[in-house]
Amino acid sequence: MSGSSEFSFLSGTKVGVVGLGKMGWHFAMRLHNAGAEVFIHSRTRDKASDLEALGLTYCKTPQDLARNINSGFIVICVTDTPAIEQVICGDQGLLLAMHTDTLVIDMGTTQVMNTRVLAGRVDHVGAGYLDAPVSGGAIGAEQGSLSIMVGGDENDFHRAMPLFNVLGENINHVGPLGAGQIAKTANQMIVAMTIDAVAEALTLAAKAGADPAKVRNALLGGFADSRILELHGQRMVDRNFEPGARATVQLKDVKQAMELAEHYSLRLSGLETAMDLWQGMVDDGLGELDQAGFIRAIEEKQLN
């Protein structure tokens, strides 16, 4: 989006954005460009400076932000479950000043059981709650092309659609509260295991004497094709491990999938293997690399 004059269909809508990392910053920018009045909060004030210069309003605490949002939305995109619990229920949390007509939308990756508890706390003060995690990374957030998986009341989902249409393209109401996070868990399981498959395949190709770049190109468009092969596979070929999404984040998501499986007494051997591999990558000091850096963990494993 290039300017608010071209995109004004959220004009008059108040939106709070809590969390200005690689995803939340772009959320705030796109919502502002769509004409919304945007209030922002981040634990790191410096992340808000460019947005403030464009006219977005910085709030010192989540409580202050909630005070400004009536008949509007609060989008939360923070690192993990403890972080969102602090944002909502902490000493200066949203609940202390939340208006009853506010709709809270969690667009991070949060544990399913905790999601339901947090939604209950929000419902207790008369506000609404959707869990709406996303897939597509920082590029998707910048372009507004994310996949958004939504759990919660269907009326709340339809109420939030104008906002979702600014942020994503493939938008699905998956089911009741928690269903969005369940879908995201499935997404992260597939991502984790597919990155492993691509990394191992390209490592084998190189070891057997083929050019990994040419092997990757040959696989594109066939049954082995995927966004992982396209994007992460290219990063592996280019040896570009500058973090878009860090391996530590992928490990956190795999652990949450394991916890959910254990809650339902499921033994998923592929997921267990994936968790061991991602844990090994982090333990080997590679956790701050991009997820595509997984190929380094595979290569170094062969040397030990």
Side-chain angles (χ1 to χ4, degrees):
M1 287 190 176
S2 58
S4 58
S5 61
E6 297 180 50
F7 303 91
S8 59
F9 43 88
L10 289 182
S11 179
T13 302
K14 290 186 175 184
V15 183
V17 178
V18 180
L20 299 175
K22 294 181 182 296
M23 307 294 287
W25 195 96
H26 291 299
F27 290 169
M29 191 70 229
R30 291 189 64 83
L31 292 165
H32 168 72
N33 285 344
E37 182 180 3
V38 182
F39 300 81
I40 53 178
H41 171 74
S42 173
R43 289 181 296 184
T44 306
R45 178 68 184 266
D46 290 348
K47 292 181 179 179
S49 57
D50 290 345
L51 296 173
E52 285 186 274
L54 294 171
L56 287 73
T57 302
Y58 183 78
C59 302
K60 292 182 179 179
T61 67
Q63 180 182 1
D64 292 337
L65 183 142
R67 192 174 288 114
N68 284 284
I69 306 298
N70 57 304
S71 300
F73 306 89
I74 298 176
V75 173
I76 307 172
C77 190
V78 292
T79 52
D80 53 27
T81 300
I84 190 173
E85 290 174 336
Q86 185 65 26
V87 165
I88 294 175
C89 307
D91 292 341
Q92 296 179 307
L94 297 172
L95 288 177
L96 296 174
M98 191 178 294
H99 293 268
T100 57
D101 49 4
T102 299
L103 181 57
V104 176
I105 306 173
D106 173 20
M107 301 192 77
T109 303
T110 307
Q111 290 167 303
V112 174
M113 304 308 167
N114 302 68
T115 291
R116 292 167 178 163
V117 172
L118 290 170
R121 296 289 300 275
V122 171
D123 178 72
H124 186 71
V125 300
Y129 196 99
L130 294 173
D131 55 291
V134 302
S135 181
I139 293 174
E142 182 178 4
Q143 297 175 346
S145 59
L146 294 168
S147 292
I148 306 177
M149 313 155 222
V150 188
D153 180 80
E154 192 165 359
N155 291 330
D156 287 339
F157 170 72
H158 289 302
R159 178 184 168 191
M161 272 303 294
L163 183 148
F164 288 146
N165 283 328
V166 172
L167 304 178
E169 292 179 350
N170 181 27
I171 303 160
N172 289 277
H173 183 233
V174 184
L177 280 165
Q181 296 295 352
I182 293 170
K184 181 61 184 288
T185 298
N187 181 86
Q188 295 307 90
M189 290 171 61
I190 293 169
V191 167
M193 289 186 265
T194 306
I195 289 174
D196 173 33
V198 171
E200 291 193 19
L202 295 182
T203 300
L204 176 61
K207 188 70 173 178
D211 183 339
K214 292 181 178 179
V215 170
R216 174 187 165 276
N217 287 337
L219 298 179
L220 294 173
F223 273 4
D225 197 3
S226 67
R227 288 286 284 171
I228 299 296
L229 180 65
E230 178 187 350
L231 297 179
H232 290 78
Q234 186 65 60
R235 290 176 189 152
M236 292 175 190
V237 167
D238 294 341
R239 312 301 290 183
N240 175 16
F241 305 139
E242 196 68 28
R246 288 176 170 79
T248 51
V249 175
Q250 185 63 62
L251 175 60
K252 180 263 295 182
D253 292 346
V254 172
K255 285 182 175 179
Q256 288 188 186
M258 280 292 296
E259 289 168 5
L260 186 62
E262 289 169 357
H263 179 82
Y264 290 103
S265 301
L266 283 176
R267 182 77 183 272
L268 303 176
S269 57
L271 179 60
E272 291 174 0
T273 299
M275 191 177 79
D276 289 343
L277 290 170
W278 285 96
Q279 184 67 63
M281 178 179 179
V282 172
D283 290 346
D284 288 343
L286 303 175
E288 295 305 304
L289 298 182
D290 184 82
Q291 294 165 335
F294 192 85
I295 195 169
R296 272 192 55 187
I298 296 297
E299 291 165 347
E300 292 182 13
K301 199 176 182 69
Q302 306 311 310
L303 300 175
N304 296 329

